[in-house]
Structures are given as structure tokens and as C-alpha cells.
Amino acid sequence: GQNIDQPTEMTATEGAIVQINCTYQTSGFNGLFWYQQHAGEAPTFLSYNVLDGLEEKGRFSSFLSRSKGYSYLLLKELQMKDSASYLCAVRDLGNTDKLIFGTGTRLQVFP
Amino acid sequence: EAGVVQSPRYKIIEKKQPVAFWCNPISGHNTLYWYLQNLGQGPELLIRYENEEAVDDSQLPKDRFSAERLKGVDSTLKIQPAELGDSAVYLCASSLSGRNTEAFFGQGTRLTVV
């Protein structure tokens, strides 16, 4: 995803909070998605933002600022099973409404 | 409800051989995607279908890759001939039409070209 930037790797401790940032550039923003992908498995949907603000879903929250081309995924009360890659994906209306993925952020949670 | 089903799960072939992957999307999902994912990278779109129409195939290397979704349901992706650099995971995903609908992914086919 050449138009989507996210950190390559992050580490955190069990029980802590971690924020994974994503910046993007699109011709026509049409929604932002966060996916979780465990090693060797398929990506699974976590959250969707299309309007500015915070969307909360249990331990996971996602924030969007369209004017800044910025989103973050917030994971609270980290568990060992949260060790995975987190993919930011943007739907770009100016690019045939394509769903474009970032390279993903590999999160390692330590005890 | 069954999710997106892909087969085979793993495939090892010699270079220059043909290979085909099959995908059965979630029932009722009009949109079907084929993505390629290299190790440590995010999925990269190869082709997107709306029903049986390929609406975005700009990233598909058409000299060796082809895809079809004849009846607007299941789809096949073919590579002929395969090259060493084609080794990757090929993911199929499907969704309902509409901007706020998430894509559901299959387990993928891990292709190794030797």
C-alpha cells in the first residue's frame, strides 16, 4: 500500500495499552478498515470508520481524522493472543473504489 | 454460515508449470476480490469483481495471470506459466456491495514455485 503508512513493528506488555497509527492519502476517501491477521491465517475484520471520531468495540477502539488523513487503532488490556499483524486499509473512490491495504504493523505482546 | 472457502490450501509447483486456485465466496456476496500477500506485507489487490464483471484488474499481470467468475459466484485464478517470484499467499475475499461493508477473507492458498 504505497499510499498508506503504518509502523512496521511494535512491542507491548500484557495488560498495557497500545496505539497503532495509520496515515493515508487518497483521491476520494470512502472509509477506513482495521484488520487483525495472525501468522498463517486470514485477515479478520476489527473496525470501520467513515466519519471523524472514535468507534469503540470492547477492548478495541479506532479513531479517524479525515482532514489529517489519520487513524489509529487502540488496544486496551492487552492479552498474549493480541500478538498479530494489524492492517490498516482504505477504500479509495478515486481509484475505482479499491480497498488498499497498508503493509501492516506486527505487534508482539510480552508477559 | 460458511465463510469464504479457498482451495487448495497449499500448492508446490515447478516453475513454468500452470496452477489454478479456486474460491467460493459467502453466499449473497456480490463483490469478490483476489489479493496477493507476500511475507511481512499487506495484501495487494489483483482483481475485483462485481457479480461476474471484473471492475478492477489493473494490478493483474495479464501476460501470465487470468481470472474468471462466470456465474457471478465462485471464481478461479490461474497462473500460466508460474515464475519463482509468484511464490506468495493468494487470498480471496468477498463482501456485500456498498462502502461500509467489510471484506471477509478465506484462508488463502500458499503457493511455492520451485
Side-chain angles (χ1 to χ4, degrees), chain A residues 41-56:
Chain A
E41 298 184 11
T44 54
F45 170 76
L46 288 178
S47 69
Y48 169 76
N49 296 72
V50 67
L51 299 177
D52 290 351
L54 190 68
E55 295 283 341
E56 296 187 77

Side-chain angles (χ1 to χ4, degrees), chain B residues 15-52:
Chain B
K15 62 182 180 182
K16 300 185 182 179
Q17 294 302 305
V19 65
F21 314 126
W22 176 80
C23 172
N24 191 0
I26 292 173
S27 177
H29 281 194
N30 323 67
T31 307
L32 184 145
Y33 311 80
W34 282 103
Y35 284 90
L36 176 155
Q37 187 173 29
N38 288 302
L39 191 63
Q41 301 293 312
E44 299 172 33
L45 182 69
L46 290 172
I47 189 167
R48 173 167 67 100
Y49 284 94
E50 292 292 339
N51 299 305
E52 62 273 10

Side-chain angles (χ1 to χ4, degrees), chain A residues 1 29-31 33 35 37 40-45 48 50 87 91 95-104, chain B residues 9 33 35 37 40-45 48 55-56 58-59 91 95 98-107 110:
Chain A
F29 178 78
N30 199 21
F33 298 79
Y35 281 81
Q37 187 176 27
E41 298 184 11
T44 54
F45 170 76
Y48 169 76
V50 67
L87 300 162
R91 195 174 294 246
N95 195 355
T96 69
D97 204 22
K98 182 179 298 187
L99 184 61
I100 304 170
F101 283 83
T103 54
Chain B
R9 186 83 172 85
Y33 311 80
Y35 284 90
Q37 187 173 29
Q41 301 293 312
E44 299 172 33
L45 182 69
R48 173 167 67 100
V55 296
D56 185 352
S58 56
Q59 304 285 84
L91 293 165
S95 71
R99 71 174 185 177
N100 63 339
T101 56
E102 69 268 29
F104 293 82
F105 284 82
Q107 290 287 85
R110 182 178 294 278

Side-chain angles (χ1 to χ4, degrees), chain B residues 60-81:
Chain B
L60 192 72
K62 297 182 185 62
D63 57 335
R64 298 184 299 107
F65 286 64
S66 64
E68 59 184 16
R69 193 185 185 197
L70 291 175
K71 295 182 180 178
V73 181
D74 55 351
S75 174
T76 54
L77 177 69
K78 297 178 182 178
I79 309 175
Q80 182 171 12

Side-chain angles (χ1 to χ4, degrees), chain A residues 55-88:
Chain A
E55 295 283 341
E56 296 187 77
K57 258 189 185 183
R59 294 188 300 114
F60 292 3
S61 304
S62 57
F63 172 83
L64 175 68
S65 168
R66 289 171 296 170
S67 62
K68 295 181 179 177
Y70 168 70
S71 172
Y72 67 72
L73 180 70
L74 193 71
L75 293 77
K76 303 175 188 174
E77 302 169 17
L78 279 173
Q79 303 175 9
M80 297 296 289
K81 67 178 182 179
D82 297 329
S83 294
S85 285
Y86 291 86
L87 300 162
C88 174

Side-chain angles (χ1 to χ4, degrees), chain A residues 6-17:
Chain A
Q6 35 180 147
T8 306
E9 288 191 2
M10 297 183 72
T11 59
T13 307
E14 198 174 14
I17 299 172

